[in-house]
Amino acid sequence: MQIIPVNFYKLLSFLLILFILPFLGFDKIHAQIHGYVKDKADNESLIGVNIYAPQLQTGTSTNSFGYFQLGTELQEIQLQISYVGYQTIDTILQVNPSKPVMINLKSTVDLPEVEVTSPKGIGEGLQLGKTIIPMPQLNKIPPLLGEADPLKALALTPGISNGAEGTSDLYVRGGTPDQNLILYDGAKVYNSNHLFGFLSPFNPDIIKDIKVYKGAFPARFGGRLSSVIDITGKEGNKNQATRKLTLGLVNSRLLLEGPIAKNKWSYTFGARSAHLASLLLLARSEEDYQTYFFYDLNGKINYKSDKSNLSLSAYSSRDNWGLVDRGNEQDSKLNAIWGNRTASLRYARNLGSRSFFQGLLTYNRYSYGLEQELKNSAESNADLLSQAFIQEWDAKAQIDYRINPNWDLNVGLEGGLLRVNPRSVETSDRVGGTLQTPAATQRINRLAPFIESNYRFNKNLQFTLGGRYANFQTVSGTNYAYLEPRLSLDYKLGPYHIKAAYAQMHQPLHLLTGNFIGISNNIWVGATNQAAPQGVDHYSLGAERKIGKHTFISGELFYKNYRRLIDPLPGVDFLQSNVSEWESLAGLNGIGRSAGLELFLRYRKDRLAGWIGYTLSYSKVRFNQINSGEWYFRQYDRRHDLSLTASYDLGNDWEFLSTFVLSSGYRLTLPSIVYYDPNYNRPVAVYRDRNREKAPIYHRLDIAFRRSVIRPSGKERTFNIGLYNVYGRKNPFYVIAEPDLKYDRPSNEENRNLLLGNQVKLRSFFNILPFVNYTFTF
């Protein structure tokens, strides 16, 4: 067994610094006030609530279970409790370490916009590059196809962008979609697309909170390079049963929630499905037609007491796309199927006024396949079946411990078993001949202890030091071990918060890209003895401040160094190749770098609210085997990315919503020349520099009008109507290169090397698209 060790002295020095540094300012043990913050209407725990103690000039925030701790010598303490979309509370409470306090917040009617925060919580620290989106704020963004989309809302913030038109894939700070760790109630989700990528897989009605980390990653997260997208589902209304139904042109949604035992047990159930209206989006003729169907289901049972929380959550999604082509000599049926299944069991318990335990057991499986049936006029049939999957079992246990009012400690252990089958292919000619090309299932065992120490030196300076010891063992017996340090610093200088962070991450998975018009056919492969886990060093520096009561501004710089990347060799199509020896078809051990500047401005006053986000960045990679060993841009390197979002209260329960996006075109590899090949009687393309060309600039304006009414009975009615791509901009969905003249087989040798012209054709999916939906509770 090959072992790649971490230097023992580096590990020992790191642990000594981690534990000794806080003792430089060690305070005596204080009493603790601790408790939970919940929504007054449905007893739903609230995540990321800001809790500030003016007498101590310090604060904290609630964790994923709505729990908080705050140390003090006082017997009575003043707390200012605020959360986006809820009324602020300023109250005085008795300090009783033996009994948790229960704080209820009341939702406001006039909700503000996306809140970018750096809460001071146990195991959280002041996080540079952390974005929190409470789900009610999604309604402030014009929805695509009439539906609020959590992942597309993230793409309107700096440093995060989508890929091609309509897709839900996220590219974070120069990274790729496989480098995002997407969690739903703690379980991993691999495919983030519905409807060719125009919708994300998450029903917005079932989601309570989204936290995104794109820098200063907490030590409890690992296994990915670019971001952590942590999505928490609703616990369920603990006071009364509610039902919500949304009807739209493309899909409809249902939400059921309520108490099983009031104030203790609750449930949620959500369902979403496409219906026949979606077929209007697809071309249809007598010779060929397409069908499309998707669904997703969410369920959760939750138990909550004064000291503990237990929940069981499950999620399932499936997409099915079909194409029937009836030719003169041959009929073809093509069917693509992909989907996610996850389950998570979470337990959390308050172990006293100083410590909080969390345990998590998760399962996830992502499968995707392709079926093709060919039938010719002679009644001879041929079938093809291609299948692949990723399956994981994971477990995590962690304890948050407050040593003193200024020192928080988070320590835990995470492990898992990963199984990856890149692709298995079976073909049959219906005459008894069957050819099977199975791919070996790869197994990777993962184990990672982690620890993080957050220390507040004074009211102006906070320091977080932590790390993971990541171990990956492959099926071949190769063991990779990496020490992943995490460091962040927050300093308050007058009205400014100055922040800096460093993080190292490693990922045992690689993605062989093979997308076609948003259809899920990417090929996932695990690390091997030839292709080690990819890694990154991430540096970031930022500053933020409030200007008056209505404006918030921030700016961040980032720089990332990548190593051990992969990319297809020139001319390789993984979809047509045997992937059992994929290492011979890819450039290995590539290096990369990305850097950028992110600017953000948020404004809210009276009826008008909105924000502006801008990113200036680049992303390059280099492989010895590709592009003559020279640096080249990544496909979704976009120099400029601008987004503007605004909402205006029109009165009489009506709102006007608008979003404008503008970005540089994505990178393309187009033929330098096209020449005629007489042997095959066809044109042949010659490629030189990779990703040298660029698609046209992308820009789009969306608008919507929304009317939301709460009747005296408490029933809600919401009506949305709007336009996607108001002025009909033809943004490219994909780009192809074709010869620009007709050709015939030359009659003599002189024309053997006849050069043909090369023209580029852009294909757009949507021009102007109206949408409408209606939501009501009953």
Side-chain angles (χ1 to χ4, degrees), residues 27 52-59 120 126 405-406 455-463 490-494 496-498:
D27 296 324
Y52 181 71
Q55 298 146 296
L56 306 177
Q57 293 189 327
T58 188
K120 303 176 182 179
L126 283 173
N406 296 317
Y455 190 76
R456 289 172 289 277
F457 288 92
N458 52 51
K459 65 179 182 180
N460 294 324
L461 179 61
Q462 177 167 303
F463 181 80
D490 183 280
Y491 181 67
K492 186 177 181 182
L493 182 63
Y496 294 93
H497 272 285
I498 311 298

Side-chain angles (χ1 to χ4, degrees), residues 534-689:
Q534 50 187 315
V536 69
D537 291 297
H538 189 156
Y539 306 86
S540 52
L541 176 67
E544 64 182 42
R545 68 161 295 177
K546 289 184 177 180
I547 302 176
K549 296 181 179 180
H550 309 295
T551 306
F552 170 86
I553 59 172
S554 69
E556 291 187 26
L557 293 166
F558 69 88
Y559 180 78
K560 299 164 74 173
N561 266 327
Y562 297 92
R563 51 192 173 274
R564 298 184 294 277
L565 302 174
I566 68 169
D567 213 14
L569 293 175
V572 170
D573 181 3
F574 285 113
L575 298 178
Q576 303 294 329
S577 305
N578 185 350
V579 298
S580 59
E581 297 180 357
W582 63 268
E583 296 96 332
S584 63
L585 305 175
L588 305 178
N589 297 315
I591 59 175
R593 62 192 181 201
S594 62
L597 168 66
E598 300 170 1
L599 301 175
F600 184 80
L601 182 148
R602 187 181 70 246
Y603 177 83
R604 179 176 182 267
K605 183 180 180 182
D606 300 329
R607 295 184 173 188
L608 177 65
W611 74 85
I612 301 174
Y614 172 74
T615 305
L616 172 68
S617 65
Y618 78 89
S619 180
K620 287 185 173 183
V621 292
R622 182 165 69 86
F623 294 81
N624 293 332
Q625 312 96 317
I626 302 174
N627 207 51
S628 302
E630 299 294 330
W631 288 91
Y632 61 91
F633 291 105
R634 284 193 159 179
Q635 181 181 8
Y636 287 100
D637 167 85
R638 284 176 162 164
R639 192 69 66 248
H640 305 280
D641 193 353
L642 174 70
S643 62
L644 297 88
T645 297
S647 65
Y648 186 77
D649 185 355
L650 299 173
N652 295 322
D653 303 319
W654 282 95
E655 275 188 299
F656 173 73
L657 314 171
S658 65
T659 294
F660 176 75
V661 292
L662 171 69
S663 64
S664 304
Y666 56 84
R667 299 282 174 170
L668 299 167
T669 301
L670 297 176
S672 300
I673 59 172
V674 180
Y675 71 92
Y676 170 75
D677 186 336
N679 295 320
Y680 295 96
N681 189 30
R682 62 182 176 86
V684 177
V686 177
Y687 297 88
R688 292 180 180 171
D689 297 337

Side-chain angles (χ1 to χ4, degrees), residues 180-399:
N180 301 318
L181 178 62
I182 302 177
L183 302 173
Y184 178 74
D185 279 341
K188 298 184 181 71
V189 176
Y190 277 88
N191 183 61
S192 58
N193 289 315
H194 270 322
L195 193 60
F196 301 119
F198 282 86
L199 293 176
S200 76
F202 301 111
N203 182 344
D205 293 333
I206 207 76
I207 298 174
K208 176 172 67 174
D209 174 87
I210 301 177
K211 294 189 293 292
V212 180
Y213 304 87
K214 56 183 180 179
F217 302 99
R220 62 183 179 274
F221 296 120
R224 295 295 188 274
L225 304 188
S226 290
S227 73
V228 179
I229 302 172
D230 190 10
I231 301 172
T232 304
K234 288 184 177 180
E235 299 171 354
N237 193 318
K238 298 178 180 61
N239 293 333
Q240 62 180 5
T242 60
R243 295 165 291 180
K244 179 188 289 187
L245 179 63
T246 299
L247 302 175
L249 292 177
V250 176
N251 64 285
S252 297
R253 310 190 305 269
L254 173 69
L255 171 65
L256 305 175
E257 60 177 328
I260 300 175
K262 194 169 183 179
N263 295 326
K264 293 291 183 180
W265 289 91
S266 60
Y267 71 91
T268 56
F269 173 78
R272 184 173 58 156
S273 176
H275 42 69
L276 294 178
S278 64
L279 297 179
L280 298 176
L281 303 175
L282 306 172
R284 185 182 181 95
S285 67
E286 293 182 359
E287 291 78 20
D288 59 80
Y289 63 90
Q290 302 180 62
T291 60
Y292 192 92
F293 175 77
F294 78 81
Y295 75 83
D296 52 61
L297 301 172
N298 303 76
K300 190 172 186 178
I301 297 175
N302 192 85
Y303 169 80
K304 193 165 190 177
S305 69
D306 291 346
K307 289 193 173 183
S308 64
N309 186 294
L310 176 67
S311 66
L312 176 63
S313 174
Y315 165 71
S316 176
S317 71
R318 186 179 181 88
D319 290 70
N320 191 318
W321 171 75
L323 172 64
V324 176
D325 186 2
R326 296 170 178 170
N328 294 328
E329 299 182 357
Q330 180 175 267
D331 292 344
S332 171
K333 293 182 180 180
L334 180 67
N335 199 42
I337 303 171
W338 63 94
N340 294 284
R341 284 184 293 169
T342 72
S344 59
L345 179 65
R346 309 180 75 168
Y347 178 72
R349 184 171 180 82
N350 168 18
L351 301 179
S353 62
R354 299 181 181 279
S355 56
F356 192 85
F357 170 81
Q358 299 181 51
L360 175 66
L361 178 64
T362 67
Y363 166 82
N364 68 275
R365 182 182 176 92
Y366 169 54
S367 59
Y368 51 106
L370 187 68
E371 300 177 3
Q372 186 176 36
E373 179 182 348
L374 301 176
K375 181 180 180 180
N376 60 30
S377 57
E379 298 298 327
S380 176
N381 296 331
D383 296 337
L384 178 144
L385 176 64
S386 173
Q387 294 179 314
F389 70 84
I390 303 174
Q391 180 176 286
E392 284 184 274
W393 285 95
D394 290 290
K396 180 190 287 188
Q398 60 180 318
I399 292 179

Side-chain angles (χ1 to χ4, degrees), residues 685-749:
V686 177
Y687 297 88
R688 292 180 180 171
D689 297 337
R690 180 166 291 194
N691 294 338
R692 180 181 180 181
E693 309 296 335
K694 293 175 64 177
I697 292 175
Y698 181 98
H699 54 89
R700 191 188 79 242
L701 172 67
D702 305 333
I703 63 171
F705 291 89
R706 188 184 74 218
R707 186 170 190 262
S708 183
V709 178
I710 301 178
R711 296 184 175 178
S713 62
K715 304 299 183 182
E716 299 179 16
R717 300 290 186 267
T718 302
F719 176 73
N720 284 288
I721 186 170
L723 288 175
Y724 172 87
N725 197 7
V726 172
Y727 50 83
R729 166 70 175 178
K730 292 185 178 180
N731 292 302
F733 190 35
Y734 64 97
V735 180
I736 58 175
E738 295 179 347
D740 64 357
L741 55 87
K742 295 182 179 180
Y743 61 95
D744 297 314
R745 185 183 181 90
S747 58
N748 54 61
E749 285 295 310

Side-chain angles (χ1 to χ4, degrees), residues 390-540:
I390 303 174
Q391 180 176 286
E392 284 184 274
W393 285 95
D394 290 290
K396 180 190 287 188
Q398 60 180 318
I399 292 179
D400 299 314
Y401 185 71
R402 172 151 289 181
I403 298 175
N404 64 39
N406 296 317
W407 186 13
D408 300 325
L409 193 67
N410 173 254
V411 60
L413 178 67
E414 181 180 11
L417 171 62
L418 169 66
R419 298 175 66 233
V420 184
N421 186 292
R423 189 177 64 201
S424 295
V425 179
E426 179 179 325
T427 59
S428 173
D429 58 10
R430 296 286 183 91
V431 186
T434 300
L435 175 63
Q436 294 184 342
T437 310
T441 299
Q442 300 172 284
R443 291 177 174 83
I444 298 177
N445 299 324
R446 301 180 295 104
L447 187 67
F450 58 88
I451 187 170
E452 188 168 81
S453 177
N454 175 251
Y455 190 76
R456 289 172 289 277
F457 288 92
N458 52 51
K459 65 179 182 180
N460 294 324
L461 179 61
Q462 177 167 303
F463 181 80
T464 301
L465 177 64
R468 294 169 64 91
Y469 185 58
N471 291 267
F472 309 111
Q473 185 179 38
T474 69
V475 67
S476 63
T478 303
N479 188 78
Y480 297 98
Y482 304 99
L483 177 63
E484 300 180 341
R486 312 288 171 84
L487 173 67
S488 66
L489 181 72
D490 183 280
Y491 181 67
K492 186 177 181 182
L493 182 63
Y496 294 93
H497 272 285
I498 311 298
K499 304 178 182 182
Y502 167 76
Q504 186 178 120
M505 312 277 275
H506 294 88
Q507 177 174 323
L509 285 171
H510 298 279
L511 185 66
L512 308 177
T513 303
N515 270 338
F516 172 71
I517 317 183
I519 300 170
S520 177
N521 52 27
N522 290 331
I523 298 173
W524 291 83
V525 293
T528 66
N529 56 355
Q530 298 181 52
Q534 50 187 315
V536 69
D537 291 297
H538 189 156
Y539 306 86
S540 52

